[in-house]
Amino acid sequence: MNCKIALIRGDGIGPEVVNEAVNVLNAIADKYGHRIEYVDVLMGGCATDAVGVSYPEGTAEKCKSCDAVLLGAVGGPKWGADKPSEQRPETALLAIRKDLGLYANLRPAVLRPAMADACPLKKETAEKGIDLMMVRELTGGVYFGKRNKYQTEDRGIEATDLMAYSEKEIERIGRRAFELARLRRGKVSSVDKANVLETSRLWRSVMHKLVQEYSDVAYEDVLVDNCAMQIVREPGQFDVLVTENMFGDILSDEASMVTGSIGLLPSASIGDSAPGLYEPIHGSAPDIAGQDKANPIATILSVAMMFRYSFHLFREADTIEAAVDAVLADGVRTPDIAHPGEKTVGTREMGRLIREKIKAM
Ligand code: IPM
Ligand code: MG
């Protein structure tokens, strides 16, 4: 395969973890005879510092000229909520999702075998395993609805954020969830708040139509508050969870925590045609930036997702995941996943050991 990958190294620990992921990409390319070209794309707080805005003109076009996008992390206190929106890294993140049409955000939460004791839940619960896929709608809902802030006569200032969903938006994310479930354990849990919200009632009715078409997949409706509770009570019951943008934002953080380390979890954001975007779930961790302390595994596993979902190269994806599992099984730990007093390695050494496994496989 010949391909071109856009690299958004971003802020904080972003550049360090992307470096290790690129080294893994190159190791895979060597092993299986691929040619990969890289294009650096400036976006995030670093872009604000360099050119005054977090999402410079042409960012989307540059990404669209590539086959996939790898993002480290963007954001940091330096470009906080007090800054104008065009300078904030979050603005860039939402813009790129919309501009590339990345409506499906896949966030797997997996308790890796060697990490079972990192699970903060009861031992009996952890022993049942966790392997769920959060499918979050990413380009609609309250994140992109009309916002307003105005003075009232008697209640002071009032603000509104509109949550809107169309049948079309719900159907396309629903289809993604059902298709994924077919490749996994064959179960979809659709999360909504249909006892209160009109958008949720529409969501549910569209999902129920899809159930007819995907009758081989088991299906359930789950109310979002109950879902939040079930994720800590018994996460092993879930296979694919599908939900709207803000519920997905909240639940995916919760799901990542029950696996014990957010530093291990990758994500993929995909649409129908444009390049998919792959990034670790964790943020830019400015407090440890530049110190060779960050865990590169989530970004490296994001590369595995890239091979699987953008390039449909399953052997390459499996090799990366197996190499990560092998290194963890050897007891190698970065500080974020180590027990107190345990010996740890840095970002670069973790990357090197994973590459060694890849070569040896
Ligand atoms: C995420 C993040 C973003 C979101 C923020 C940084 C805008 O929390 O990717 O989950 O809310 O989508
Ligand atoms: Mg979030």
Side-chain angles (χ1 to χ4, degrees):
M1 167 192 75
N2 282 337
C3 73
K4 220 160 102 181
I5 298 176
L7 301 177
I8 302 177
R9 298 173 190 270
D11 309 318
I13 58 171
E16 299 162 65
V17 293
V18 167
N19 261 344
E20 293 316 312
V22 167
N23 290 339
V24 163
L25 274 161
N26 291 336
I28 290 285
D30 275 352
K31 188 178 177 78
Y32 296 110
H34 304 305
R35 270 208 45 220
I36 305 178
E37 203 186 311
Y38 302 98
V39 178
D40 262 292
V41 176
L42 186 68
M43 188 186 106
C46 54
T48 300
D49 287 350
V51 299
V53 291
S54 63
Y55 191 63
E57 183 104 27
T59 302
E61 289 63 36
K62 260 193 210 156
C63 292
K64 280 183 190 163
S65 77
C66 296
D67 301 293
V69 183
L70 181 66
L71 189 155
V74 297
K78 192 173 166 196
W79 314 279
D82 55 320
K83 294 281 186 303
S85 119
E86 72 276 8
Q87 294 180 14
R88 290 205 302 269
E90 291 76 12
T91 306
L93 210 49
L94 298 189
I96 200 164
R97 288 172 181 171
K98 197 70 169 180
D99 289 349
L100 298 185
L102 306 174
Y103 64 84
N105 182 214
L106 315 185
R107 296 184 166 183
V110 178
L111 184 59
R112 310 205 80 82
M115 297 299 299
D117 61 349
C119 176
L121 304 179
K122 282 199 205 110
K123 198 155 174 283
E124 314 87 86
T125 314
E127 272 164 4
K128 290 184 195 150
I130 304 172
D131 181 5
L132 64 83
M133 177 69 87
M134 187 73 70
V135 179
R136 168 188 175 192
E137 200 291 324
L138 202 60
T139 53
V142 74
Y143 271 65
F144 292 94
K146 206 168 156 29
R147 303 188 200 296
N148 214 344
K149 192 168 143 192
Y150 47 87
Q151 184 69 49
T152 64
E153 257 174 35
D154 51 351
R155 302 181 308 283
I157 296 171
E158 200 165 89
T160 63
D161 296 279
L162 181 73
M163 183 189 304
Y165 267 109
S166 67
E167 279 182 292
K168 234 177 112 184
E169 282 176 303
I170 301 168
E171 186 184 326
R172 65 182 184 180
I173 189 76
R175 283 191 187 283
R176 287 281 181 170
F178 281 102
E179 300 287 344
L180 274 168
R182 277 184 171 164
L183 300 174
R184 295 172 46 98
R185 303 195 304 280
K187 180 180 174 193
V188 168
S189 307
S190 168
V191 182
D192 64 35
K193 189 72 186 170
N195 50 351
V196 177
L197 301 178
E198 201 56 49
T199 43
S200 281
R201 286 190 278 271
L202 180 64
W203 180 280
R204 199 174 269 210
S205 76
V206 173
M207 290 295 162
H208 287 189
K209 270 187 218 144
L210 289 177
V211 172
Q212 314 293 315
E213 234 179 277
Y214 295 88
S215 52
D216 52 317
V217 176
Y219 175 87
E220 64 179 352
D221 298 305
V222 188
L223 290 171
V224 63
D225 47 350
N226 182 35
C227 183
M229 187 261 274
Q230 296 297 337
I231 287 174
V232 287
R233 196 185 71 85
E234 202 178 329
Q237 69 184 289
F238 294 119
D239 179 18
V240 174
L241 288 151
V242 60
T243 192
E244 68 89 34
N245 205 342
M246 189 162 65
F247 295 161
D249 177 44
I250 299 167
L251 293 178
S252 62
D253 266 27
E254 188 194 11
S256 72
M257 192 59 226
V258 302
T259 69
S261 177
I262 197 161
L264 297 181
L265 299 178
S267 78
S269 302
I270 50 190
D272 285 328
S273 53
L277 183 149
Y278 299 83
E279 59 178 319
I281 287 205
H282 62 70
S284 59
D287 52 318
I288 57 162
Q291 299 170 35
D292 195 39
K293 281 187 185 158
N295 188 344
I297 290 182
T299 316
I300 289 170
L301 290 174
S302 299
V303 168
M305 289 189 90
M306 180 186 288
F307 277 107
R308 184 166 290 128
Y309 295 108
S310 276
F311 306 146
H312 305 113
L313 294 173
F314 303 103
R315 179 187 57 178
E316 284 74 351
D318 291 344
T319 300
I320 296 171
E321 286 164 1
V324 167
D325 279 334
V327 165
L328 290 174
D330 287 348
V332 180
R333 300 284 184 267
T334 42
D336 58 307
I337 52 173
H339 289 301
E342 209 174 8
K343 192 170 163 284
T344 62
V345 299
T347 312
R348 289 194 293 269
E349 179 65 2
M350 179 60 99
R352 190 187 68 77
L353 290 169
I354 292 170
R355 290 195 306 279
E356 254 179 21
K357 294 284 186 195
I358 289 174
K359 280 181 206 145
M361 273 172 177

